[in-house]
């Protein structure tokens, strides 16, 4: 009994909302319906009484529907410039890679549920009838699945939707209640809910879209927001969640031990019920925080706290009627005088019966003279009377009023404007687009809101580990893992807190990107690149892969990948690496040098031989020089710097004669006590030699990446043969028995 009482309260609330909403919206809906019929239904551009009166008088009632062309132009322009939702992170917890995944999921939902049809229907109703709608529903993937997916659904009849009169947002995001009616098969309702459920949920709009065969019943879906008191918890591990949600997962006594802090608050629930005129058939909770009904308004104007919404054609109806009237008047004049008149002397046709119906006679007889022999004038014809010039001017003036009111002129309507320059045409086009941009802008607002609803649904519907399809802007699809444990190093690098593509982390928002479709943009890019290459053919080698990718070839992507291998690496940016990665490797090299130097110093402490001390110092210099080579390989824009540094090292080897240095000395003091070093050349490096600068803190700009971080090893110089100046450059020449400072002559300063 309690259940029946609760259901009755829901049914009563739905009916009360229906009555209140109809009182508010019905005038707007009726006006919009009249505008829609004016453009789409034959005879709607004349009043019924006027048609009957003119018909009785034998006057035509022409409908030359010029306004329809402007309406279709606006609708098709919006179809050519479909807005695209772009997901952007808004806090530190939002991963840009997850944003791309969310964006791909939105496009997947759009494609799988044919969002274009839902949007086009809403946009057409917006232009025709001032208000259009589409909605989002959730349903199981199939009858054998436990996973639900969101789907877009069109609303063909906007009068079947009643939304909160207090909602003022152009995207409907602030509505607290909504009602959607639809006609459902009566037998199916009886089978599922009984005969007591087949009474229609009547609305004032039923007469315009009602059940004419008595085989369906009007059912309503009633959405309403409820604020439910709850407690927000911050757990010791950083988790923030409502207490009611956590109690479904953790016992209360365990939960109390996990709480860091808490505060009283409320959470929003979207309650939903399917009702007939007499019974609540189903009820539940819609996931998310917004009612999934999305209005697309036309021109919205507020006058003294009263909302007025107009279609595109609303203010052009009078000039259209005037044009029809003058064209009908012109047609009436032509109709009365369409036949040529023949003037004859009755003496000449007396006795000739064929003149009673001259048009059906094979020939016509005529007397040339009377009985007295006098000449009778021959018959003459008078042409049809031309319509008055004033009527022609009036019809043309009425016709010109329509584009003036709509501000949709020749360029936008595809008319010939050869007399004008391209700049002038562009200005007129821009003016027309601006005049009706509020229609496009209202669509953008609504799509942005529906995309926000989707990214709010994804963490709820996709809360387990799964693989989902995502679709890019170019229409290419790929499979991604959601809420998954990383399985390889690449996935580990993308994972956050050990989870790959965690749908529950971070805050994201929607930015709208309005413009031509991707295919149109590709065609434009192809045309522009071809023009660029024609003006400078040398650029073809640089952009060849991009030209082919944007071409209309069937397998353009595959061909572009092959051509890409022929593009110079510099054009692809492969000579460059991430500066942060370069810094990290330089730091590693510096640490390696420091370690080896420490090992050598340890060895020096164990050896008392002065020659050993000398050789160790020389080895330290060589190690530093080898490090500088590695740094130069990372950063050098040309290989000349690398050749110079290698020449320095080879000179060091020649001057020092490291070939006589025992290999045991490179170990960490192992086995050196019993080794007696041979006599080495006594060459001092302390004079005239500046140590290489410290590279560990040097900022790296655009280092090379073709073969990892390091460039390929150069061939070694012949042993005991010093490189020529041509090989090493002037900076590597030894003067006065010493070594000049290691510095680059023309390149980045280290």
């Amino acid at each position: 009994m309690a259940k029946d009482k609760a259901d009755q309260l829901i049914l009563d609330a739905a009916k009360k909302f229906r009555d209140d909403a109809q009182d508010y919206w019905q005038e707007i809906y009726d006006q919009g319906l009249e505008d829609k019929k004016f453009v789409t239904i034959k005879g709607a551009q004349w009043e019924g009484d006027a048609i009957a009166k003119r018909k009785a008088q034998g006057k035509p009632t022409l409908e030359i529907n010029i306004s329809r062309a402007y309406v279709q132009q606006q609708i098709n322009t919006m179809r050519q410039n479909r807005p695209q939702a772009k997901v952007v992170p808004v806090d530190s917890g939002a991963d840009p890679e997850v944003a791309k995944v969310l964006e791909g999921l939105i496009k997947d939902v759009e494609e799988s549920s044919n969002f274009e049809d839902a949007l086009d229907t809403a946009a057409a109703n917006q232009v025709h009838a001032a208000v259009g709608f589409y909605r989002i529903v959730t349903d199981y993937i199939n009858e054998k699945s436990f996973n639900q997916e969101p789907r877009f659904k069109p609303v063909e009849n906007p009068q079947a939707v009643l939304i909160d009169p207090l909602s003022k947002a152009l995207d409907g995001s602030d509505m607290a209640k909504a009602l959607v009616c639809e006609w459902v098969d009566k037998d199916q309702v009886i089978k599922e809910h009984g005969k007591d459920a087949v009474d229609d949920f009547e609305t004032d709009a039923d007469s315009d879209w009602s059940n004419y065969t008595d085989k369906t019943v009007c059912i309503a879906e009633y959405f309403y927001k409820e604020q439910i008191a709850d407690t927000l918890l911050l757990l010791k591990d950083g988790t923030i969640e409502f207490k009611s949600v956590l109690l479904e997962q953790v016992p209360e006594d365990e939960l109390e031990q996990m709480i860091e802090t808490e505060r009283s608050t409320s959470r929003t629930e979207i309650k939903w019920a399917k009702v007939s005129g007499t019974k609540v058939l189903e009820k539940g909770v819609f996931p998310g925080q917004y009612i999934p009904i999305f209005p697309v308004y036309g021109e919205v104007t507020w006058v003294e706290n009263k909302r007025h919404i107009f279609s595109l054609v609303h203010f052009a109806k009078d000039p259209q009627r005037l044009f029809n009237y003058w064209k009908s008047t012109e047609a009436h004049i032509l109709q009365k005088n369409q036949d040529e008149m023949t003037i004859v002397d009755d003496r000449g046709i007396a006795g000739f019966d064929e003149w009673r119906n001259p048009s059906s006679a094979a020939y016509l007889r005529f007397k040339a003279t009377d009985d007295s022999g006098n000449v009778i004038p021959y018959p003459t014809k008078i042409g049809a009377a031309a319509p008055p010039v004033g009527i022609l001017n009036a019809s043309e003036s009425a016709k010109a009023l329509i584009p003036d009111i709509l501000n949709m002129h020749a360029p936008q309507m595809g008319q010939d404007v050869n007399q004008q320059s391209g700049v002038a045409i562009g200005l007129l086009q821009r003016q027309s687009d601006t005049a009706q941009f509020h229609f496009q802008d209202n669509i953008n607002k609504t799509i942005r809101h529906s995309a926000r609803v989707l990214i709010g649904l994804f963490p709820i519907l996709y809360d387990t580990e799964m693989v989902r399809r995502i679709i890019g802007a170019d229409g290419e699809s790929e499979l991604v893992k959601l809420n998954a444990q990383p399985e390889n190093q690449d996935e580990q690098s993308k994972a956050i807190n050990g989870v790959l593509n965690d749908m529950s982390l971070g805050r994201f928002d929607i930015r709208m990107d309005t413009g031509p479709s991707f295919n149109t943009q590709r065609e434009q890019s192809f045309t522009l690149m071809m023009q660029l290459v024609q003006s400078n053919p040398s650029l073809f080698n640089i952009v060849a892969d991009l030209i082919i990718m944007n071409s209309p070839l069937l397998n353009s992507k595959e061909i572009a990948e092959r051509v890409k291998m022929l593009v110079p690496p510099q054009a692809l940016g492969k000579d460059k690496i991430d500066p942060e990665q370069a810094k990290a490797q330089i730091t590693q090299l510096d640490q390696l040098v420091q370690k080896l130097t420490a090992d050598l110093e340890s060895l020096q402490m164990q050896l008392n031989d002065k020659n050993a001390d000398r050789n160790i110092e020389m080895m330290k210099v060589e190690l530093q020089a080898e490090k500088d080579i590695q740094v130069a390989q990372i950063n050098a824009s040309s290989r000349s710097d690398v050749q110079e540094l290698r020449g320095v090292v080879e000179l060091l080897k020649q001057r020092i004669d490291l070939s006589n240095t025992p290999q045991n000395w490179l170990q960490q003091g192992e086995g050196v006590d019993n080794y007696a070093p041979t006599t080495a050349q006594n060459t001092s490096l302390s004079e005239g030699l500046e140590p290489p600068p410290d590279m560990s803190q040097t900022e790296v700009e655009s280092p090379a990446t073709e073969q990892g971080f390091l460039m390929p090893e150069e061939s070694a110089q012949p042993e005991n043969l010093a490189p020529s100046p041509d090989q090493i450059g002037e900076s590597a020449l030894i003067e006065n028995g010493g070594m000049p400072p290691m510095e680059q002559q023309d390149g980045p300063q280290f």
Side-chain angles (χ1 to χ4, degrees), residues 17-33:
F17 173 73
R18 173 201 61 190
D19 297 338
D20 294 340
Q22 282 185 159
D23 291 341
Y24 183 89
W25 290 105
Q26 199 60 45
E27 182 180 354
I28 296 174
Y29 285 172
D30 290 344
Q31 177 182 280
L33 184 62

Side-chain angles (χ1 to χ4, degrees), residues 452-468:
R452 286 185 180 134
V453 172
L454 281 180
I455 63 176
L457 291 176
F458 290 149
I460 301 173
L461 301 179
Y462 304 155
D463 59 344
T464 60
E465 184 174 351
M466 62 179 66
V467 177
R468 297 291 306 168

Side-chain angles (χ1 to χ4, degrees), residues 221-236:
E221 292 183 72
Y222 177 48
F223 295 88
Y224 57 100
K225 280 186 179 181
E226 275 194 1
Q227 297 296 326
I228 301 176
D230 208 333
T231 303
L232 186 65
L233 302 181
L234 172 62
L235 304 185
K236 295 179 180 179

Side-chain angles (χ1 to χ4, degrees), residues 442-505:
N442 288 346
I443 290 179
N444 293 350
K445 290 182 173 66
T446 301
I447 295 177
R448 181 175 59 191
H449 175 51
S450 63
R452 286 185 180 134
V453 172
L454 281 180
I455 63 176
L457 291 176
F458 290 149
I460 301 173
L461 301 179
Y462 304 155
D463 59 344
T464 60
E465 184 174 351
M466 62 179 66
V467 177
R468 297 291 306 168
R469 182 184 69 169
I470 63 173
I471 299 177
D474 58 353
E476 297 292 329
S477 63
E478 63 175 305
L479 297 177
V480 298
K481 298 179 180 178
L482 305 181
N483 310 306
Q485 298 296 320
E487 297 180 356
N488 51 55
Q489 187 174 359
D490 182 58
E491 292 182 351
Q492 289 177 356
S493 63
K494 298 179 181 179
I496 298 178
N497 298 329
V499 180
L500 183 65
N501 296 326
D502 190 346
M503 295 287 97
S504 64
L505 294 181

Side-chain angles (χ1 to χ4, degrees), residues 75 78-80 82 114-128 133-134 154 443:
I75 293 174
M78 291 190 293
R79 288 185 177 185
Q80 286 184 319
R82 299 186 186 276
N114 206 358
F115 175 62
E116 289 185 356
D117 284 353
L119 181 61
D120 292 345
T121 301
N125 283 324
Q126 173 205 31
V127 176
H128 282 132
F133 296 93
Y134 65 89
I443 290 179

Side-chain angles (χ1 to χ4, degrees), residues 451-744:
R452 286 185 180 134
V453 172
L454 281 180
I455 63 176
L457 291 176
F458 290 149
I460 301 173
L461 301 179
Y462 304 155
D463 59 344
T464 60
E465 184 174 351
M466 62 179 66
V467 177
R468 297 291 306 168
R469 182 184 69 169
I470 63 173
I471 299 177
D474 58 353
E476 297 292 329
S477 63
E478 63 175 305
L479 297 177
V480 298
K481 298 179 180 178
L482 305 181
N483 310 306
Q485 298 296 320
E487 297 180 356
N488 51 55
Q489 187 174 359
D490 182 58
E491 292 182 351
Q492 289 177 356
S493 63
K494 298 179 181 179
I496 298 178
N497 298 329
V499 180
L500 183 65
N501 296 326
D502 190 346
M503 295 287 97
S504 64
L505 294 181
R507 291 173 55 235
F508 301 88
D509 203 357
I510 302 297
R511 185 185 70 242
M512 296 307 300
D513 184 12
T514 305
S517 64
F518 181 82
N519 289 333
T520 303
Q521 293 180 26
R522 185 174 67 177
E523 293 173 0
Q524 293 173 352
S525 299
F526 176 73
T527 302
L528 292 175
M529 284 190 290
M530 289 300 297
Q531 294 175 357
L532 181 64
V533 170
Q534 289 174 1
S535 63
N536 190 354
S538 62
L539 294 176
F540 182 80
N541 293 332
I542 300 176
V543 297
D545 60 321
L546 299 178
I547 293 176
I548 295 176
M549 184 172 293
N550 290 279
S551 69
L553 295 173
L554 293 177
N555 49 350
S556 59
K557 187 175 180 180
E558 180 180 352
I559 299 175
E561 289 296 327
R562 298 185 182 184
V563 173
K564 190 175 182 180
M565 295 186 298
L566 304 177
V567 178
Q570 297 84 352
L572 299 174
K574 292 185 176 182
D575 295 355
K576 302 177 180 180
I577 64 172
D578 186 0
E580 296 297 326
Q581 294 179 338
K583 289 180 182 180
Q585 187 167 5
I586 292 174
T587 302
Q588 293 177 358
L589 291 172
D590 189 60
Q591 292 174 353
L592 177 61
V593 171
Q594 293 178 2
K595 180 180 183 300
L596 293 177
T597 301
D599 294 341
L600 291 172
E601 290 176 350
S602 176
L603 179 61
Q604 185 179 11
M605 294 175 62
Q606 301 178 32
L607 297 175
N608 296 321
D609 195 319
K610 293 182 179 181
N611 291 332
D613 295 341
R614 181 204 64 197
N615 289 334
I616 290 172
E617 291 295 328
M618 291 186 291
M619 293 180 67
K620 290 164 62 176
V621 174
E622 184 189 19
L623 288 170
Q624 184 64 42
E626 289 288 354
K627 173 202 168 184
D628 293 339
I629 291 175
Q630 300 289 335
V631 173
Q633 290 175 329
I634 296 172
N635 298 277
S637 58
S638 68
R639 300 199 177 196
S640 61
D641 302 322
V642 179
Q643 294 283 4
E644 181 178 334
L645 290 173
R646 287 192 179 278
V648 171
V649 176
E650 294 299 326
L651 269 180
L652 283 172
K653 291 180 179 180
Q654 297 297 327
R655 299 288 298 227
I656 299 171
D657 192 15
L658 291 179
S659 61
N660 295 324
T661 303
Q663 294 296 321
N664 302 29
W665 286 27
L666 300 179
Q667 303 176 7
Q668 296 182 4
E670 297 179 5
V672 299
D673 295 334
N674 299 324
Y675 182 81
T678 59
T679 303
Q681 300 179 20
N682 186 16
T683 303
S684 176
L685 297 176
S686 60
E687 298 178 3
L689 178 63
E690 296 181 11
D694 186 6
M695 303 299 302
S696 60
Q697 302 300 323
T698 303
E699 184 176 354
V700 181
E701 297 182 3
S702 304
T705 60
E706 181 67 18
Q707 292 88 12
F709 296 115
L710 305 180
M711 299 184 64
E713 293 290 336
E714 300 290 329
S715 59
Q717 298 289 340
E719 189 175 0
N720 297 325
L721 179 62
S724 66
D726 295 336
Q727 293 175 298
I728 63 176
E730 296 179 359
S731 63
L733 296 178
I734 299 177
E735 298 178 359
N736 302 322
M739 181 69 67
M742 298 183 191
E743 53 185 27
Q744 294 183 347

